[in-house]
Amino acid sequence: NHSFARLSDGTVKACGANSTGSLGDGTTTMRTSAVTVTGLPAVSSVRSGGTFGVAVTTSGVVYTWGSNAYGEQGDGTINTNALV
């Protein structure tokens, strides 16, 4: 329902469905044009789950955002729409 792209400068762009904050732009608004995932330092890779995103920074730190209804962000909590 959404897509991510890592740019050569390490930023991440996203577009598509966003009802759980899965685009990481701080909203739940569907986007037909790419928006920047906010709050990320330089990223080396990015992946998409069904309703969430995961990025690994160039220093090896893992960030997640979007749905966390089943603990998919891996931080021991259950909540949504937070960059962890």
Side-chain angles (χ1 to χ4, degrees):
N1 294 327
H2 56 271
S3 298
F4 296 109
R6 182 193 150 288
L7 305 182
S8 60
D9 66 358
T11 60
V12 176
K13 297 285 187 175
C15 62
N18 194 26
S19 63
T20 62
S22 56
L23 299 185
D25 68 345
T27 75
T28 55
T29 304
M30 184 175 99
R31 306 291 185 175
T32 56
S33 296
V35 294
T36 301
V37 176
T38 58
L40 293 176
V43 166
S44 61
S45 65
V46 63
R47 298 292 184 264
S48 175
T51 55
F52 63 96
V54 179
V56 178
T57 68
T58 55
S59 63
V61 177
V62 176
Y63 284 79
T64 63
W65 60 91
S67 179
N68 193 30
Y70 301 100
E72 54 266 62
Q73 290 187 8
D75 66 349
T77 67
I78 296 176
N79 56 31
T80 58
N81 303 328
L83 182 64
V84 177

